[in-house]
Amino acid sequence: MAEPIPAGNTAAPRLLPLFLAYTLGRLAIAAALIALLWALGLPGTPGFLFGVLLAMPVSFLVLGPVRQRLTAALAMRAERKEALRAELRGTETDDQGPRS
């Protein structure tokens, strides 16, 4: 689950650095595993496919904190956008549905 965001923190976390860190981390893990498998003698395409397959759970475990921060930042962004939409409509929440 995503870590709760403190209520006093109004500064929006930047999404791009978190997204780039997570994406580049996944690519680096995949490249390292593929290179390791090729060095161990698993040839060409099978080594590549097995390396990509192994990279999924390894990335899930290794990049967990980065993924949680990214998820929290995306949730905060969605909440701010929903609050702005409600403010522009003049309602408190979007759960009220269309006005008559």
Side-chain angles (χ1 to χ4, degrees), residues 6-23:
N9 187 3
T10 58
R14 307 246 332 142
L15 290 176
L16 185 61
L18 292 171
F19 179 75
L20 287 176
Y22 186 70
T23 303

Side-chain angles (χ1 to χ4, degrees), residues 14-50:
R14 307 246 332 142
L15 290 176
L16 185 61
L18 292 171
F19 179 75
L20 287 176
Y22 186 70
T23 303
L24 293 176
R26 287 199 63 168
L27 290 172
I29 289 170
L33 286 172
I34 291 167
L36 176 66
L37 291 173
W38 282 346
L40 292 175
L42 196 58
T45 303
F48 175 79
L49 293 176
F50 196 54

Side-chain angles (χ1 to χ4, degrees), residues 28-94:
I29 289 170
L33 286 172
I34 291 167
L36 176 66
L37 291 173
W38 282 346
L40 292 175
L42 196 58
T45 303
F48 175 79
L49 293 176
F50 196 54
V52 170
L53 184 66
L54 285 176
M56 289 184 224
V58 171
S59 296
F60 182 78
L61 296 172
V62 172
L63 297 174
V66 177
R67 187 182 61 255
Q68 288 177 349
R69 286 192 305 251
L70 180 59
T71 302
L74 287 169
M76 180 184 283
R77 178 181 177 194
E79 289 172 5
R80 273 196 322 274
K81 286 175 75 173
E82 182 59 37
L84 181 60
R85 284 187 191 115
E87 182 181 328
L88 291 173
R89 275 193 313 270
T91 61
E92 289 187 25
T93 63
D94 190 30

